[in-house]
Amino acid sequence: LADLGCGKAPLLGAYRAHCSSIVLADWANSLHENSLLDVIIDMNVPLTEFADGSFDVVLLSDVLEHIREPALLISEISRILRPGGRLLLNVPFLYQVHEAPHDYYRYTRYALEQFATQSGLEVVELVPLGGWIEVVADLWSKLLARAKLWVAVSVLHRTVRAFHRTPIGRRFATISGEVF
């Protein structure tokens, strides 16, 4: 597995036990210091550090919005994946500017599907995570956190989680997730 743009590798605990080999890669200008980093790469240029068909799985979590030429990166990921390999990709849609000045894009499902198909990848599943309430709650949480109103952040998170556990909350998230 290659975790590209791994930052502090927050997902390492979730996949470590399932992989025989892991490469943690990020760029030198990352805001996330990572003592576990295996390779320093620039994901805005061809990934010459990796041979064709090097990986069974590539993880690209909250990274694509920071790439100047996203189609090039997806094409490179297609190249370094073994036949039958998997790209696990997630991106924010409605989100604050972060890691400026390296925050370039937000993507619809249609852009993600186009990147995949143009690179020879098949979209197996594309799932929206969260809807209107989750998006607004996340934006408010970030604002409250900047103001160091930690109790308000905690109350907001608990309230949204509780609502999401209800049938109407799940239904609302599913329906509005297709839009947001």
Side-chain angles (χ1 to χ4, degrees):
L1 179 141
D3 189 341
L4 302 183
C6 64
K8 293 181 181 179
L11 301 173
L12 181 60
Y15 60 73
R16 179 182 296 173
H18 305 284
C19 300
S20 60
S21 173
I22 297 168
V23 174
L24 299 177
D26 210 340
W27 38 32
N29 67 344
S30 176
L31 297 178
H32 310 287
E33 188 176 319
N34 182 352
S35 61
L36 302 173
L37 202 62
D38 298 307
V39 181
I40 294 176
I41 60 172
D42 182 352
M43 291 171 280
N44 290 297
V45 298
L47 303 176
T48 57
E49 300 84 359
F50 306 123
D52 295 2
S54 299
F55 300 100
D56 294 310
V57 178
V58 171
L59 177 62
L60 194 69
S61 180
D62 294 323
V63 174
L64 198 60
E65 70 271 19
H66 302 290
I67 304 300
R68 287 187 308 269
E69 299 292 334
L72 172 63
L73 178 59
I74 299 299
S75 178
E76 281 294 287
I77 290 171
S78 178
R79 180 186 64 76
I80 67 174
L81 278 170
R82 289 188 179 113
R86 305 266 180 178
L87 166 60
L88 305 175
L89 164 71
N90 66 287
V91 295
F93 183 59
L94 292 176
Y95 200 73
Q96 66 186 7
V97 172
H98 58 291
E99 296 198 35
H102 305 288
D103 189 353
Y104 303 108
Y105 304 103
R106 299 297 181 266
Y107 300 100
T108 64
R109 72 177 297 123
Y110 310 107
L112 297 173
E113 289 170 339
Q114 181 178 342
F115 288 144
T117 56
Q118 284 179 342
S119 298
L121 299 171
E122 174 190 1
V123 176
V124 175
E125 187 175 21
L126 200 152
V127 179
L129 299 174
W132 184 84
I133 297 229
E134 292 81 4
V135 168
V136 170
D138 183 62
L139 294 173
W140 270 105
S141 292
K142 301 284 190 296
L143 180 64
L144 293 169
R146 287 186 116 191
K148 298 186 181 350
L149 298 171
W150 307 115
V151 172
V153 171
S154 178
V155 168
L156 180 59
H157 283 192
R158 283 192 308 248
T159 303
V160 170
R161 274 195 306 266
F163 179 67
H164 196 266
R165 283 189 216 112
T166 68
I168 193 168
R170 285 189 300 276
R171 181 170 158 71
F172 195 76
T174 300
I175 292 169
S176 64
E178 293 297 325
V179 182
F180 288 101

